[in-house]
Amino acid sequence: MVTLAVALLLQGYSRHMFNDAADGTAAPPGPATSVPATVAHGGPVVDAVGDRPHTARPQARTIALTFDDGPDPKWTPQVLDVLRRNHVHATFFVVGTLAAQHPELLRRIIAEGNQVGIHTFTHAELATLPPWYQSLELREAQLAVAGAAGVTTSLLRPPYSSGNDAVDDAAWRSMQRARQQGYLSVLTTQDSEDWQRPGVARIIANATPHGTAGQILLMHDAGGDRSQTVAALRTLLPELKARGFHFATVSASVGMADPVRPASSGNHWQGLGLIWVLRSGDLVLTVLDWLMLAAGALSVLRAVAVLVAARRHSRARRNPWGPPVTAPASVIVPAYNESAGIEAAVRSLLASDHPVEVIVVDDGSTDGTADLVESLGLPGVRVIRQRNAGKPAALNTGIAAASHDLLVMVDGDTVFEPDAVRMLLQPFADARVGAVSGNAKVINRGGLLGRWQHIEYVVGFNLDRRLFDLAQCMPTVPGAVGGFRRAALLRIGGVSDATLAEDTDLTMALCRDGWRVVYEERAKAWTEAPASLGALWKQRYRWCYGTLQAMWKHRGALLQRGPAGRLGRRGLGYLLLFQALLPLLGPVVDVFTLYGLIFLDPVRIIGLWLAFVLVQLVMGLYAFRLDHEHPGSLWSLPLQQFVYRQLMYLVVVQSVFTALAGTRLRWQRMERYGSLQFPTGPPPPSAVPVPAVPTALADIWLHEAHASPRANDMTAGVGYYGHHSPIVYSDPRQPHTEPYESAPLDYQRGPDRSTDQDRA
């Protein structure tokens, strides 16, 4: 970013700080009390040395023909052609930036016997510049000449200067500073005023001397249309020669030694370096222009695609997946030091309006997470302790211990809505579905950081999931709320620990195995988001790096057919483009925006930025409407562009370079804040009230169900609560059970057609 910023700064300075106003448009001179009389009434070649400056005039009948503001690739060659045909040598005062762009013209000027002087680097008005800026202008111009033609020159024509009588105090001070750097200032005695393009005849009249006094004649070979200048020269040169005038360079006209000398090797190489830097800047700017155009077009296309997909997805979800799925589910909660929110998470799961068993796998917690869950004495909750082995190992432990074929995986910092499990399981009515992504929402959305993450979850993640669902290439089922077929997980070997994004890796493996992964937005769960920039950085760094690992691991899908090919060419292609490559351009976009505000049209740049924000706002409003969210948080969307977006793309930059360097990261756990709360209100109307069951009875039920060989038989849509379902004697002093042979329950009938006996 620093290198790019410096390159663009130099590019903007050399190209866009160029003042192309004609020299004749200078403001009227100011006070001239400090200008010596020898300068004010002397010759046009001024040596502003010390307290006793001296000047020089051209010899009689001698015209020093001078050209300013070039070289120009169109007009300078035409001027040189006229000079060569008339055997005339002139002096060209070149602008450094143009000399660097067209070094071949500078070399031709010198090769044909003409003389060069400098006209500053960017055609800046030296009298208005501070000393350091003037020194920079002269030094860079000299280096450009040294690099382009291998020479240096001590001749300087200050832009916007004219005759000696126009030198004021500010101009005199700048001439003195220039002399300290070794420059002679060259003014004019006759102005053709060709910069006004008054017509060929008028230019000839203005350039014709009155009398025989020597003149330094000002003309221009750049700065606009110079066709009148070229035409006037064709007539003027022969006429003046016929009248007895001869033409010479500035130094020859005043009888001084040639000021143009070979450049030292140091100046020559520095000049070449400057020219290559400027050319590289041109190339970078051209590439950036195309990249910005491509990025803008892709962003618009993505916005259109996700909005169209979201609308189609919303309509498709109005149709049922099939017969209602009422089979019980096993909920696996991997937990490592989750004491801050585990109780709320577990209680919310038990409040589900769908039959569940909850398995909390404590992965070596040191904060008493397992003890806390056990102390709650909640029915239907099992705690499994294991040594710390990581989240994938905890999930695999839960999968092995699960009693049912339908599994729900939940993070320990997540609270489910009462109908979330039921909604999450409905897509499994389609036998092709192997996993379901739920709708994770930010619960701690207070403050700017919380609002920004809330917007990202609703607008970014959820809109993308709708698109992935329609394209059948879902790359990630979030760890916070996801449903899975146990058979599908076992077929791919369970959860892998090869990447830091185990949820993405698992989802991609399911897609490649032929399973369909869908998005059910009605399955809502609330999760804690990072509450500080540092915590957010760690979380997204792990996510991004893990996603890159998973993409690399499953890169073979690009060449496969069927569901795996859809994942590879659609899903991985989308992730590569919009979550890796385009974010890498984020710093470039910001630097280029600053470049535009400083050197280009700021109104246009601000307009483009507002258009970008407007597109995001439209997407946000529609996404919030689909998710039934209040759009009030969107007021912070413009502010998101100044902090949050930079953080996100810098995470991508760091992740990409970490991956390229071959560095492996360790899993980084997010800090918990205890903001999760279990809702205490009445259950929703659709909920089936479940009375509190003593832990002993729940354990007996789980033991019976787990021990039964038919406990997990759901192939025909028929579920069994164990081969021998117990009769529960709810004696408050000593509850106990007795085995009872029961008939299977037909879950395919659905709750609306079940009998009283089934509900009992």
Side-chain angles (χ1 to χ4, degrees):
M1 287 182 67
V2 172
T3 303
L4 177 63
V6 171
L8 287 180
L9 185 63
L10 182 57
Q11 175 72 13
Y13 167 66
S14 63
R15 297 291 184 263
H16 300 288
M17 294 300 288
F18 182 86
N19 192 338
D20 58 359
D23 290 338
T25 61
T33 57
S34 63
V35 181
T38 55
V39 173
H41 305 290
V45 180
V46 181
D47 185 359
V49 60
D51 297 330
R52 303 183 65 181
H54 56 272
T55 65
R57 295 179 182 273
Q59 300 171 7
R61 291 190 176 275
T62 301
I63 297 177
L65 185 59
T66 64
F67 294 91
D68 283 7
D69 297 349
D72 182 273
K74 181 177 182 179
W75 303 114
T76 302
Q78 296 185 39
V79 169
L80 289 172
D81 290 342
V82 175
L83 296 179
R84 186 180 66 250
R85 285 195 297 267
N86 288 275
H87 306 288
V88 170
H89 295 154
T91 302
F92 290 79
F93 289 95
V94 298
V95 177
T97 58
L98 298 179
Q101 289 184 59
H102 312 290
E104 72 285 351
L105 293 179
L106 201 61
R107 290 193 290 267
R108 179 183 171 184
I109 289 172
I110 297 173
E112 295 183 1
N114 299 290
Q115 195 171 67
V116 294
I118 65 171
H119 202 42
T120 72
F121 189 63
T122 63
H123 200 265
E125 187 173 2
L126 297 179
T128 64
L129 302 182
W132 68 268
Y133 199 167
Q134 175 178 328
S135 177
L136 177 66
E137 281 282 330
L138 300 182
R139 175 61 177 165
E140 297 305 307
Q142 192 70 263
L143 285 178
V145 171
V151 299
T152 60
T153 177
S154 59
L155 297 182
L156 164 68
R157 171 163 285 161
Y160 308 102
S161 63
S162 55
N164 294 62
D165 57 351
V167 177
D168 58 14
D169 292 340
W172 174 241
R173 287 192 295 269
S174 70
M175 292 167 66
Q176 288 180 307
R177 290 194 294 265
R179 182 61 182 88
Q180 293 173 1
Q181 293 182 256
Y183 292 99
L184 299 175
S185 297
V186 180
L187 306 177
T188 60
T189 60
Q190 193 158 358
D191 188 354
S192 68
E193 298 185 1
D194 62 338
W195 58 273
Q196 298 190 65
R197 293 190 289 275
V200 175
R202 191 62 195 166
I203 293 175
I204 293 174
N206 293 336
T208 301
H210 302 284
T212 60
Q215 305 290 337
I216 291 185
L217 176 61
L218 171 62
M219 302 187 84
H220 297 81
D221 64 327
D225 184 356
R226 295 294 172 241
S227 58
Q228 294 181 8
T229 302
V230 175
L233 281 173
R234 294 193 183 106
T235 303
L236 181 65
L237 297 183
E239 285 187 357
L240 291 180
K241 280 188 173 184
R243 291 179 52 183
F245 286 92
H246 73 276
F247 295 88
T249 62
V250 168
S251 62
S253 69
V254 299
M256 62 178 285
D258 189 358
V260 179
R261 298 179 181 179
S264 66
S265 58
N267 283 338
H268 178 59
W269 285 107
Q270 288 184 56
L272 286 176
L274 175 63
I275 292 174
W276 280 108
V277 166
L278 294 178
R279 289 188 172 182
S280 300
D282 290 338
L283 178 62
V284 167
L285 200 59
T286 301
V287 172
L288 287 183
D289 285 339
W290 284 105
L291 286 177
M292 296 303 102
L293 182 62
L298 287 174
S299 298
V300 172
L301 288 176
R302 175 179 178 268
V304 173
V306 297
L307 289 178
V308 172
R311 182 173 178 81
R312 291 185 57 188
H313 187 272
S314 178
R315 290 180 175 179
R317 286 299 168 265
R318 298 173 187 173
N319 301 321
W321 290 97
V325 176
T326 58
S330 297
V331 183
I332 303 170
V333 187
Y336 174 72
N337 290 346
E338 299 283 2
S339 60
I342 192 66
E343 179 178 358
V346 172
R347 288 188 181 277
S348 73
L349 294 169
L350 292 179
S352 299
D353 60 6
H354 192 92
V356 298
E357 67 164 339
V358 179
I359 303 173
V360 178
V361 182
D362 183 82
D363 188 44
S365 297
T366 59
D367 66 345
T369 297
D371 296 335
L372 173 61
V373 177
E374 289 177 341
S375 69
L376 299 176
L378 297 174
V381 178
R382 275 191 290 168
V383 177
I384 300 177
R385 301 173 185 256
Q386 68 177 29
R387 291 184 178 181
N388 181 254
K391 185 178 180 180
L395 290 172
N396 288 328
T397 298
I399 294 171
S403 304
H404 307 295
D405 184 59
L406 298 182
L407 307 178
V408 177
M409 296 183 184
V410 185
D411 284 344
D413 62 339
T414 304
V415 166
F416 269 43
E417 292 194 356
D419 62 347
V421 173
R422 175 167 54 86
M423 290 296 182
L424 193 64
L425 299 181
Q426 297 313 304
F428 290 113
D430 186 342
R432 298 171 300 172
V433 175
V436 182
S437 169
N439 187 350
K441 292 184 169 295
V442 176
I443 193 170
N444 53 331
R445 55 181 68 171
L448 275 178
L449 191 59
R451 287 188 178 92
W452 289 338
Q453 293 179 86
H454 170 46
I455 293 173
E456 184 183 26
Y457 271 64
V458 175
V459 181
F461 298 160
N462 290 347
L463 285 183
D464 279 350
R465 288 191 184 109
R466 295 173 190 271
L467 177 64
F468 290 139
D469 191 350
L470 286 182
Q472 299 184 28
C473 59
M474 184 78 67
T476 305
V477 171
V481 49
F484 300 87
R485 287 190 191 273
R486 184 178 182 183
L489 296 179
L490 295 178
R491 201 164 82 175
I492 64 172
V495 184
S496 171
D497 62 354
T499 73
L500 291 181
E502 76 290 329
D503 47 3
T504 299
D505 185 10
L506 176 64
T507 308
M508 290 182 179
L510 289 172
C511 289
R512 296 187 68 184
D513 195 44
W515 294 97
R516 187 179 173 192
V517 182
V518 299
Y519 173 53
E520 178 52 78
E521 66 269 22
R522 294 170 295 183
K524 299 177 181 178
W526 300 84
T527 186
E528 274 191 332
S532 67
L533 289 177
L536 179 63
W537 180 284
K538 290 181 180 179
Q539 183 200 60
R540 298 310 171 86
Y541 190 18
R542 177 177 62 85
W543 286 6
C544 184
Y545 186 83
T547 300
L548 293 176
Q549 287 179 307
M551 291 170 63
W552 181 254
K553 177 181 177 181
H554 297 283
R555 64 191 183 278
L558 290 169
L559 303 178
Q560 292 181 302
R561 297 180 178 180
R566 287 193 291 271
L567 169 71
R569 289 181 287 278
R570 298 176 187 176
L572 297 187
Y574 187 94
L575 292 177
L576 178 64
L577 186 60
F578 292 106
Q579 294 192 21
L581 296 182
L582 280 183
L584 288 178
L585 287 178
V588 177
V589 172
D590 285 350
V591 172
F592 192 74
T593 300
L594 293 176
Y595 171 85
L597 290 174
I598 297 172
F599 297 111
L600 302 179
D601 183 6
V603 175
R604 177 172 171 267
I605 298 299
I606 294 174
L608 290 174
W609 181 82
L610 290 176
F612 174 75
V613 173
L614 180 61
V615 170
Q616 288 193 313
L617 183 61
V618 170
M619 293 177 61
L621 289 172
Y622 189 63
F624 271 59
R625 177 185 174 187
L626 291 178
D627 266 26
H628 306 289
E629 290 280 358
H630 190 277
S633 297
L634 291 175
W635 69 264
S636 64
L637 186 61
L639 300 177
Q640 194 180 41
Q641 312 307 314
F642 296 103
V643 178
Y644 192 81
R645 189 173 65 87
Q646 281 78 3
L647 182 69
M648 293 300 100
Y649 66 56
L650 288 178
V651 164
V652 176
V653 171
Q654 185 179 11
S655 300
V656 169
F657 279 91
T658 302
L660 292 176
T663 306
R664 290 187 61 86
L665 295 182
R666 298 183 60 187
W667 194 89
Q668 302 179 33
R669 178 184 173 276
M670 195 189 85
E671 181 181 356
R672 305 304 185 201
Y673 311 101
S675 57
L676 298 174
Q677 294 183 356
F678 171 66
T680 57
S686 60
V688 178
V690 180
V693 181
T695 305
L697 299 185
D699 289 341
I700 293 173
W701 185 88
L702 289 172
H703 174 74
E704 292 283 348
H706 186 66
S708 171
R710 303 173 65 187
N712 296 319
D713 183 7
M714 300 184 184
T715 57
V718 180
Y720 299 84
Y721 288 101
H723 181 61
H724 292 82
S725 298
I727 296 177
V728 177
Y729 293 88
S730 53
D731 186 335
R733 294 168 296 179
Q734 188 175 0
H736 62 284
T737 66
E738 292 183 4
Y740 176 76
E741 185 75 17
S742 64
L745 302 181
D746 187 357
Y747 290 119
Q748 289 191 345
R749 283 191 311 212
D752 55 330
R753 284 170 288 180
S754 59
T755 64
D756 290 341
Q757 180 181 2
D758 290 339
R759 282 194 293 271

